[in-house]
Amino acid sequence: MIVDMASRQVCAACGREFAETDPRLQCECGGLLELRHDRSGLSGAKLRALFDGRRGAPHGPFLSGVWRYREMVLPTAGDDVVTYPEGNTPLLRRPSVTAWVGGAGATDLFLKHEGHNPTGSFKDRGMTVGMTQARRIGATAVACASTGNTGAALGAYAALAGLPALAFVPKGHVALGKLMQLVAYGVRTLLVNGDFDACQELARASSDQLGVYLLNSINPFRLEGQKTIVLELLQQLDWEPPDWITVPAGNLGNTAAFGKALAEARDWGLITKLPRIAAVQAEGAAPFALSYREGFARRHRVEARTVATAIRIGNPASYERAVRAIRETDGVVTTVTDDEMLEAKAVIDAAGAGCEPASAASVAGTRRLIHEGIIGAGQRVVAVLTGHLLKDPESVTRYHQETEPAPPGANRPIEIEPRLAEVERVLKNDQ
């Protein structure tokens, strides 16, 4: 069953409306655009039944954990969508991670692992919608600024769509695993002598003056795909919302998308209460946290410094939309140190889940919020892991083999002679 509905683009700042197929990304007033979809009289119960009935579809666009929710994503896209498929990522319980955050016996922790997407990060969810829209409007080329994950997704989906792709990446600040994905997928990769924010400015200028279709998170169609992280985890919990959703925060696209998803899920009758969003930034790249501490009285920009390249962003593009998400969900913004992130990552990795460093910010942030008493006893938390372990293999090597003194979760490889007695010695030492 497919429900016919209409969509439009609306300026988040002044409310001006634009056609769904208008290629602009920004209003004349400077405000960013967002998608609004007509509900078409569907009750929450009917919508839940519609989405539940599509789970496990054997073929077609409903194989995707994004397009399963097409009425809330892009209902007019038709069946000719650019999809792998993506989504359908697991919701995991890992007792050792729950114990580490301090919630054992008190807090119910789930890990929503977006690293299980086709290119290894949550970016695929937004890119399937953004690339579908690029093809609908007749784009001749697509581009993005990227610290790696967006570029990888851009390349893979541009290849599916048959479009040339261009990525602006900060030279020397992209993890090797991600850079190799860009190159392998055929992206024309431009190494910019500057940080991510410089790349973002150059990408936007290229969009404005050279006509390439920009697929960063300022693109409203990207956020529609990223919303489905929340829709899917709600469905996996049988539409019983958790108390908290914790998410790494860099360019703030996910924070904005999550707030939009939750507001729509409530307004459309899918859920009756809103989880609180906790956006977690690295201490060395925390402009949003600085603004939060001041009641969002002003917007901050910083020179970002953190080992977590995916959130090493000093001037986040989705700031205004993210502010609204935090306010509407009674959310919080917190920070964690690089050491806290890397320790959390080691715990997640050792639990067999694995993630890239930025992903672990959500778990490290959960721990901090529990210890501060903000996340209370008995509350249910979903921490979003945004990327795969192999996105940044260098960080694993540094943590486990090179850092001195050895950090708490270090697992040093052991060199032995080819004798059984050596193996026996290691086994005894492990007991």
Side-chain angles (χ1 to χ4, degrees), residues 126-251:
M127 203 58 69
T128 180
V129 184
M131 200 66 69
T132 295
Q133 182 68 2
R135 193 156 68 176
R136 292 176 79 204
I137 65 173
T140 56
V142 292
C144 72
S146 178
T147 56
N149 285 334
T150 301
L154 180 87
Y157 283 81
L160 286 176
L163 290 172
L166 189 68
F168 302 87
V169 302
K171 183 180 179 181
H173 296 288
V174 177
L176 181 62
K178 301 174 187 180
L179 185 61
M180 290 303 97
Q181 283 185 289
L182 271 69
V183 174
Y185 293 147
V187 178
R188 180 64 68 186
T189 305
L190 304 181
L191 303 176
V192 179
N193 290 314
D195 59 12
F196 173 80
D197 300 310
C199 293
Q200 189 163 250
E201 290 175 10
L202 190 56
R204 292 182 74 162
S206 299
S207 175
D208 293 339
Q209 299 176 37
L210 303 179
V212 296
Y213 189 58
L214 189 61
L215 281 168
N216 277 106
S217 59
I218 65 168
N219 187 307
F221 296 88
R222 278 275 313 275
L223 295 194
E224 293 305 293
Q226 288 168 216
K227 283 189 334 190
T228 63
I229 299 172
V230 168
L231 297 178
E232 189 170 85
L233 73 85
L234 291 173
Q235 187 175 30
Q236 289 169 318
L237 293 172
D238 293 325
W239 305 105
E240 289 292 332
D243 297 289
W244 288 89
I245 300 174
T246 60
V247 59
N251 215 21

Side-chain angles (χ1 to χ4, degrees), residues 328-347:
E328 290 185 348
T329 65
D330 189 26
V332 300
V333 185
T334 191
T335 62
V336 293
T337 66
D338 282 0
D339 285 346
E340 287 172 324
M341 258 190 293
L342 292 175
E343 185 179 349
K345 171 178 159 50
V347 172

